Amino acid sequence: MAAWRWVALEWAEVRRSVRSACVEAGPERDTLVQSLKAAGAAIAAWAVSGWWFQAPMALLAPWTAIAMVGSTVYQSVRTGIQQFAIIALGTVWASAAMACTHDRTMSAMLLTLPFMMLLGNYRRFGSQGIYGATTALFVITGGVSSTSTVGHRLLETLIGAVIGLLVNAFVLPPVHLRSVRERLVRLARETAEVLGAMAEGLRAEDGLERAEGWHHSASDLTVSLQNVSEARRWAMEGSRWNPGGRLRRTGPEPPPFSEDMRWGRVCTRVLAITRTLEAINDDTELAPPSPEFFRLLSSVLGQAADICVIETDLLVGSGNEATRHEHRDAAVREAWSALSSLTETFHRQEPWAAAVGGELLLEARQLLMELVPSA
């Protein structure tokens, strides 16, 4: 039953991905486009090397072309240089080993594979290093080490690299502008969910018992933040040497890098608040603030969650932007008013509860300061 349940879940996920690729732009459609481009590049490379040139080892061309259709045009160029270099080294070394051993396969492998595997780990070759050893295997098992054969193999590799690069650069070249906004939206939405859960829980008498779960959820925000950084890197790399900005519609520009930094600071503040609440729940020697303090803290966090929701809508671009800005300004004013009440309550706390309450007050204040855009 567990196996069938796993199959059903996987099938549902596959159907969801296929439907998303067909009906809307997104990561699923990008994956579909890149996969079809790689297949097309391989077919074109085989047509040129195997069908037209009748090359003796034509499989090297489509094999290289598939690897060339990378996530960005810049990556294709870099990958092409790395791959051609390591394949050329593998071809020449294996051919030399075959000549030295008089075409004895086992002896040539002993001379070639240990060296090529070590060379493949050289960082300058990146993830392409393994192709040196596999190419050497093709050469050795082919059993012929003449100069013309080596030249053919290098030519076939070059054909595949050129075709793969041209396909990736001029057939719907990937620009990766949408991913930054999508992942920022996801980060803002997840932050709102964590803040909303804390705001709701702190209103209950036993709310602090959920603090460990809040802390885990806040820790997961760092993963989403890393995804934003990765998307930003892809967007920057995707614009290098890419004719996509002139050959296809790229959509709106991603949010500025300052937004990544701001949401990173927001996540840090949320994590600090959850860490303190978890410490209050776990350490019985710490004197917690009064229930009134937690009620007002809940109000501040709830207003902060509302601000995050509005920020999410602004990032998505849904609704009237002027109205969204008005709602955000109103939420910010209410949040600062709630924080002012929280500050007054803190001043009335007993001395032994002031340390923990002061830390929560400080982090809540810093959270609101980060949520308010500086522009």
Side-chain angles (χ1 to χ4, degrees):
M1 291 299 297
W4 278 114
R5 188 160 44 248
W6 178 84
V7 171
L9 290 173
E10 285 295 308
W11 177 243
E13 187 65 21
V14 169
R15 290 177 59 190
R16 185 199 64 80
S17 298
V18 171
R19 185 170 57 251
S20 297
C22 295
V23 302
E24 63 181 357
E28 292 83 3
R29 180 172 293 180
D30 292 342
T31 301
L32 173 64
V33 170
Q34 289 299 105
S35 299
L36 294 179
K37 284 168 59 177
I43 293 171
W46 174 263
V48 172
S49 62
W51 177 67
W52 187 14
F53 285 159
Q54 296 292 316
M57 204 166 187
L59 66 89
L60 284 176
W63 181 51
T64 305
I66 288 175
M68 284 296 297
V69 182
S71 299
T72 64
V73 175
Y74 170 77
Q75 188 182 77
S76 290
V77 175
R78 183 184 62 191
T79 298
I81 295 173
Q82 291 173 333
Q83 190 180 84
F84 184 77
I86 191 65
I87 287 178
L89 284 171
T91 300
V92 172
W93 187 276
S95 300
M98 288 289 287
C100 292
T101 59
H102 302 289
D103 293 338
R104 287 196 290 268
T105 302
M106 183 59 70
S107 300
M109 284 188 178
L110 290 174
L111 289 176
T112 302
L113 292 184
F115 173 75
M116 292 308 304
M117 289 302 299
L118 289 172
L119 186 64
N121 290 316
Y122 181 45
R123 63 184 180 88
R124 296 297 183 186
F125 292 126
S127 60
Q128 308 303 310
I130 189 64
Y131 289 113
T134 54
T135 302
L137 279 175
F138 288 152
V139 173
I140 292 172
T141 54
V144 180
S145 58
S146 65
T147 303
S148 62
T149 304
V150 174
H152 272 295
R153 286 162 181 161
L154 294 178
L155 178 61
E156 292 149 16
T157 301
L158 183 60
I159 289 172
V162 171
I163 290 177
L165 175 60
L166 292 177
V167 168
N168 202 37
F170 294 102
V171 179
L172 297 177
V175 290
H176 294 284
L177 294 181
R178 185 177 57 249
S179 297
V180 176
R181 187 177 299 275
E182 290 175 348
R183 295 190 182 187
L184 266 178
V185 166
R186 182 177 299 179
L187 175 61
R189 186 177 293 120
E190 291 175 353
T191 303
E193 292 173 356
V194 175
L195 289 170
M198 284 194 291
E200 181 182 357
L202 288 175
R203 299 189 192 105
E205 293 184 2
D206 59 345
L208 285 179
E209 294 180 2
R210 311 176 203 173
E212 183 178 358
W214 301 337
H215 186 61
H216 284 310
S217 298
S219 299
D220 291 340
L221 295 178
T222 58
V223 177
S224 296
L225 187 61
Q226 291 173 358
N227 291 336
V228 173
S229 299
E230 180 184 359
R232 180 73 63 177
R233 180 177 65 83
W234 281 118
M236 294 175 62
E237 184 176 301
S239 63
R240 299 176 65 181
W241 305 343
N242 193 339
R246 295 181 294 276
L247 296 178
R248 61 185 292 200
R249 292 176 295 177
T250 59
E253 289 291 324
F257 180 69
S258 58
E259 284 295 289
D260 302 7
M261 303 298 293
R262 181 166 74 93
W263 282 104
R265 294 191 295 269
V266 168
C267 292
T268 300
R269 300 305 176 186
V270 173
L271 186 61
I273 293 173
T274 59
R275 186 187 300 114
T276 302
L277 293 174
E278 184 182 27
I280 295 174
N281 182 61
D282 294 342
D283 194 341
T284 56
E285 296 183 2
L286 285 177
S290 65
E292 176 69 10
F293 181 91
F294 281 126
R295 185 184 67 81
L296 291 172
L297 178 61
S298 168
S299 179
V300 172
L301 297 179
Q303 293 297 331
D306 291 342
I307 295 173
C308 290
V309 171
I310 298 172
E311 290 279 350
T312 301
D313 294 336
L314 287 171
L315 285 169
V316 172
S318 61
N320 186 283
E321 185 173 352
T323 303
R324 294 293 183 190
H325 279 288
E326 292 176 2
H327 290 167
R328 183 183 61 189
D329 294 340
V332 168
R333 287 193 296 270
E334 293 179 11
W336 282 111
S337 176
L339 184 68
S340 178
S341 300
L342 180 65
T343 304
E344 293 176 2
T345 302
F346 167 74
H347 290 153
R348 297 194 298 268
Q349 295 296 301
E350 298 295 339
W352 52 82
V356 175
E359 184 172 351
L360 290 171
L361 175 63
L362 176 63
E363 293 297 340
R365 181 180 179 83
Q366 293 295 323
L367 173 63
L368 291 184
M369 292 179 66
E370 300 295 355
L371 280 174
V372 178
S374 56

